[in-house]
Structures are given as C-alpha cells and as structure tokens.
Amino acid sequence: MTNGAEAMDTNFYEQVYEVARLVPKGRVTSYGSIAKALGVANSSRMVGHAMAYAGTASPKVPAHRIVNSSGLLTGRFHFSPPELMQELLEQEGVVVVNDKVKNFKKVFWDPLQEL
DNA sequence: AGCTTGACGAGCT
DNA sequence: GAGCTCGCCAAGC
C-alpha cells in the first residue's frame, strides 16, 4: 500500500490540530502552550499559521478555543463572521469581554498538563 | 530566489 | 498598565 492518502503523517500542522481538538469544551488554550507541548515553544507563530489552515482541515478544529497568551481573541477576524469566535466560546460557557477571555486563568487548559 | 506579512511570546521602556 | 521591539519560521507575492 502505498498508503497514498496521507502525505502528511507527522506533519507539524497535524499535531497542532490534534492538540487543538483535545481542548475540552468550555476551556481555552494558548498558541505558545501548544507549540511548547509539541517541542517548538519558540515557534508559537507556526501554531497560529496552522490554525489558519484549520478551516481546511478535517475534521474541523475548534480554533475558537485557541487564544493568545493574554487570553485575547486575536484570530476572531479569521472566522466568518468574526464574531463567531466569541459566540462559540460563550456557548460553551466561556465568558468573553472586550474580545478577551474572562477568568482566562480558570478556563485555561494546558496541553502539557494532559500530556 | 528574495522581501513582506503574520491566529505569538517575552522583554523593555 | 500600555505600547514598542526583537526573535522564530512558514507561506504569500
């Protein structure tokens, strides 16, 4: 089998999606934490880029649960509509005020804690 | 092949 | 506490 379907096994992006999908409902995590969990703490930006591709990935990735280290919804404009990100978070019980997660420390989910 | 931009993070002023 | 700079690395032009 040439196994042709996936040309990307241990792709970095796949790993990001995997961790992102592990984020429990009502919780959020940061790009840097994911990057660090994957061993590329200094490449936090790559995580963000990967999330941008999340919309093209399958199954879909709960990118709305991913915020920056400040708990700010930096990528809300990548959703459609941009307000969707905050809506989804609030639907899951995450309070968002002024484009940032309320009680961020409480709803923060650390992948390293699970791994 | 090179320059610019960017879902970030940490440090400094 | 807010704003600015530098570093990292990939993708777009």
Side-chain angles (χ1 to χ4, degrees), chain A residues 68-90:
Chain A
N68 73 355
S69 60
S70 303
L72 191 68
L73 284 56
T74 48
R76 67 181 188 170
F77 287 106
H78 287 251
F79 288 77
S80 22
E83 55 192 58
L84 179 64
M85 186 174 186
Q86 182 174 329
E87 287 292 295
L88 291 171
L89 287 172
E90 293 187 314

Short mmCIF file of all heavy atoms in Angstrom, two decimals, chain A residues 68-90:
data_model
loop_
_atom_site.label_atom_id
_atom_site.label_comp_id
_atom_site.label_asym_id
_atom_site.label_seq_id
_atom_site.Cartn_x
_atom_site.Cartn_y
_atom_site.Cartn_z
N ASN A 68 -4.48 33.86 22.39
CA ASN A 68 -3.07 34.14 22.66
C ASN A 68 -2.81 34.09 24.16
O ASN A 68 -3.71 33.85 24.95
CB ASN A 68 -2.67 35.49 22.06
CG ASN A 68 -3.25 36.63 22.83
OD1 ASN A 68 -4.02 36.44 23.76
ND2 ASN A 68 -2.88 37.83 22.46
N SER A 69 -1.57 34.31 24.54
CA SER A 69 -1.16 34.17 25.94
C SER A 69 -1.89 35.15 26.87
O SER A 69 -1.94 34.96 28.07
CB SER A 69 0.34 34.38 26.07
OG SER A 69 0.67 35.67 25.61
N SER A 70 -2.46 36.18 26.30
CA SER A 70 -3.19 37.17 27.10
C SER A 70 -4.67 36.83 27.20
O SER A 70 -5.43 37.52 27.84
CB SER A 70 -3.04 38.55 26.47
OG SER A 70 -1.67 38.87 26.35
N GLY A 71 -5.07 35.77 26.52
CA GLY A 71 -6.48 35.39 26.54
C GLY A 71 -7.28 36.23 25.55
O GLY A 71 -8.51 36.22 25.56
N LEU A 72 -6.57 36.92 24.68
CA LEU A 72 -7.23 37.78 23.71
C LEU A 72 -7.59 37.01 22.44
O LEU A 72 -6.78 36.21 21.94
CB LEU A 72 -6.29 38.94 23.37
CG LEU A 72 -6.93 40.06 22.56
CD1 LEU A 72 -7.97 40.81 23.38
CD2 LEU A 72 -5.84 41.01 22.08
N LEU A 73 -8.76 37.27 21.92
CA LEU A 73 -9.21 36.57 20.72
C LEU A 73 -8.60 37.19 19.47
O LEU A 73 -9.27 37.76 18.63
CB LEU A 73 -10.74 36.62 20.64
CG LEU A 73 -11.48 35.67 21.59
CD1 LEU A 73 -11.09 35.87 23.03
CD2 LEU A 73 -12.97 35.84 21.43
N THR A 74 -7.34 37.02 19.36
CA THR A 74 -6.59 37.65 18.27
C THR A 74 -7.04 37.22 16.89
O THR A 74 -6.92 37.95 15.94
CB THR A 74 -5.09 37.34 18.43
OG1 THR A 74 -4.96 35.96 18.65
CG2 THR A 74 -4.49 38.11 19.56
N GLY A 75 -7.51 35.99 16.79
CA GLY A 75 -7.85 35.48 15.45
C GLY A 75 -9.32 35.50 15.12
O GLY A 75 -9.78 34.83 14.22
N ARG A 76 -10.07 36.28 15.83
CA ARG A 76 -11.52 36.29 15.60
C ARG A 76 -11.87 36.72 14.18
O ARG A 76 -12.87 36.30 13.62
CB ARG A 76 -12.17 37.23 16.59
CG ARG A 76 -11.78 38.65 16.34
CD ARG A 76 -12.42 39.58 17.35
NE ARG A 76 -12.17 40.96 16.95
CZ ARG A 76 -12.75 41.99 17.53
NH1 ARG A 76 -13.58 41.80 18.51
NH2 ARG A 76 -12.50 43.19 17.11
N PHE A 77 -11.03 37.51 13.57
CA PHE A 77 -11.32 38.01 12.23
C PHE A 77 -11.11 36.93 11.17
O PHE A 77 -11.43 37.12 10.02
CB PHE A 77 -10.46 39.23 11.90
CG PHE A 77 -10.91 40.44 12.63
CD1 PHE A 77 -10.18 40.92 13.72
CD2 PHE A 77 -12.09 41.09 12.25
CE1 PHE A 77 -10.62 42.04 14.41
CE2 PHE A 77 -12.53 42.21 12.94
CZ PHE A 77 -11.80 42.69 14.03
N HIS A 78 -10.57 35.83 11.59
CA HIS A 78 -10.36 34.72 10.66
C HIS A 78 -11.61 33.84 10.59
O HIS A 78 -11.69 32.94 9.79
CB HIS A 78 -9.15 33.90 11.09
CG HIS A 78 -7.87 34.61 10.83
ND1 HIS A 78 -6.99 34.24 9.86
CD2 HIS A 78 -7.35 35.72 11.40
CE1 HIS A 78 -5.97 35.08 9.87
NE2 HIS A 78 -6.16 35.98 10.79
N PHE A 79 -12.56 34.12 11.44
CA PHE A 79 -13.81 33.38 11.42
C PHE A 79 -14.80 34.11 10.53
O PHE A 79 -14.61 35.25 10.16
CB PHE A 79 -14.37 33.27 12.84
CG PHE A 79 -13.59 32.32 13.70
CD1 PHE A 79 -12.37 32.70 14.25
CD2 PHE A 79 -14.07 31.06 13.95
CE1 PHE A 79 -11.65 31.83 15.05
CE2 PHE A 79 -13.36 30.19 14.76
CZ PHE A 79 -12.14 30.57 15.30
N SER A 80 -15.89 33.39 10.25
CA SER A 80 -16.92 34.05 9.49
C SER A 80 -18.28 33.76 10.07
O SER A 80 -18.69 32.64 10.02
CB SER A 80 -16.89 33.62 8.06
OG SER A 80 -16.29 32.43 7.87
N PRO A 81 -18.91 34.76 10.63
CA PRO A 81 -18.36 36.11 10.80
C PRO A 81 -17.36 36.15 11.94
O PRO A 81 -17.32 35.23 12.72
CB PRO A 81 -19.61 36.95 11.13
CG PRO A 81 -20.53 35.98 11.82
CD PRO A 81 -20.26 34.63 11.21
N PRO A 82 -16.59 37.19 12.03
CA PRO A 82 -15.55 37.33 13.05
C PRO A 82 -16.10 37.20 14.46
O PRO A 82 -15.39 36.81 15.37
CB PRO A 82 -14.98 38.72 12.82
CG PRO A 82 -15.68 39.30 11.66
CD PRO A 82 -16.67 38.31 11.11
N GLU A 83 -17.32 37.55 14.63
CA GLU A 83 -17.92 37.49 15.96
C GLU A 83 -18.24 36.06 16.37
O GLU A 83 -18.53 35.77 17.52
CB GLU A 83 -19.21 38.31 15.96
CG GLU A 83 -20.14 37.85 14.85
CD GLU A 83 -21.29 38.83 14.62
OE1 GLU A 83 -21.00 40.01 14.33
OE2 GLU A 83 -22.43 38.42 14.75
N LEU A 84 -18.15 35.16 15.39
CA LEU A 84 -18.46 33.76 15.64
C LEU A 84 -17.59 33.17 16.75
O LEU A 84 -18.06 32.39 17.56
CB LEU A 84 -18.26 32.95 14.35
CG LEU A 84 -18.53 31.46 14.49
CD1 LEU A 84 -19.99 31.21 14.83
CD2 LEU A 84 -18.17 30.74 13.19
N MET A 85 -16.35 33.56 16.76
CA MET A 85 -15.42 33.02 17.76
C MET A 85 -15.91 33.29 19.18
O MET A 85 -15.97 32.39 20.00
CB MET A 85 -14.04 33.66 17.54
CG MET A 85 -12.97 33.06 18.44
SD MET A 85 -11.32 33.69 18.07
CE MET A 85 -10.36 32.65 19.18
N GLN A 86 -16.26 34.50 19.42
CA GLN A 86 -16.75 34.85 20.77
C GLN A 86 -18.06 34.15 21.05
O GLN A 86 -18.29 33.65 22.16
CB GLN A 86 -16.93 36.36 20.85
CG GLN A 86 -17.40 36.79 22.24
CD GLN A 86 -17.44 38.30 22.39
OE1 GLN A 86 -16.65 39.00 21.77
NE2 GLN A 86 -18.34 38.80 23.19
N GLU A 87 -18.91 34.06 20.04
CA GLU A 87 -20.20 33.39 20.19
C GLU A 87 -20.00 31.94 20.60
O GLU A 87 -20.62 31.45 21.54
CB GLU A 87 -20.95 33.45 18.86
CG GLU A 87 -21.47 34.84 18.55
CD GLU A 87 -22.58 35.24 19.51
OE1 GLU A 87 -23.63 34.60 19.46
OE2 GLU A 87 -22.36 36.16 20.31
N LEU A 88 -19.13 31.25 19.91
CA LEU A 88 -18.87 29.85 20.20
C LEU A 88 -18.34 29.67 21.61
O LEU A 88 -18.74 28.76 22.33
CB LEU A 88 -17.86 29.30 19.19
CG LEU A 88 -18.42 29.16 17.77
CD1 LEU A 88 -17.29 28.82 16.79
CD2 LEU A 88 -19.49 28.09 17.72
N LEU A 89 -17.45 30.56 22.00
CA LEU A 89 -16.87 30.47 23.34
C LEU A 89 -17.95 30.66 24.40
O LEU A 89 -18.01 29.91 25.38
CB LEU A 89 -15.77 31.52 23.50
CG LEU A 89 -14.49 31.21 22.72
CD1 LEU A 89 -13.54 32.39 22.77
CD2 LEU A 89 -13.81 29.97 23.30
N GLU A 90 -18.80 31.64 24.19
CA GLU A 90 -19.86 31.90 25.17
C GLU A 90 -20.85 30.75 25.22
O GLU A 90 -21.40 30.44 26.26
CB GLU A 90 -20.56 33.20 24.80
CG GLU A 90 -19.62 34.39 24.99
CD GLU A 90 -20.36 35.71 24.78
OE1 GLU A 90 -21.11 35.82 23.81
OE2 GLU A 90 -20.16 36.60 25.61
#
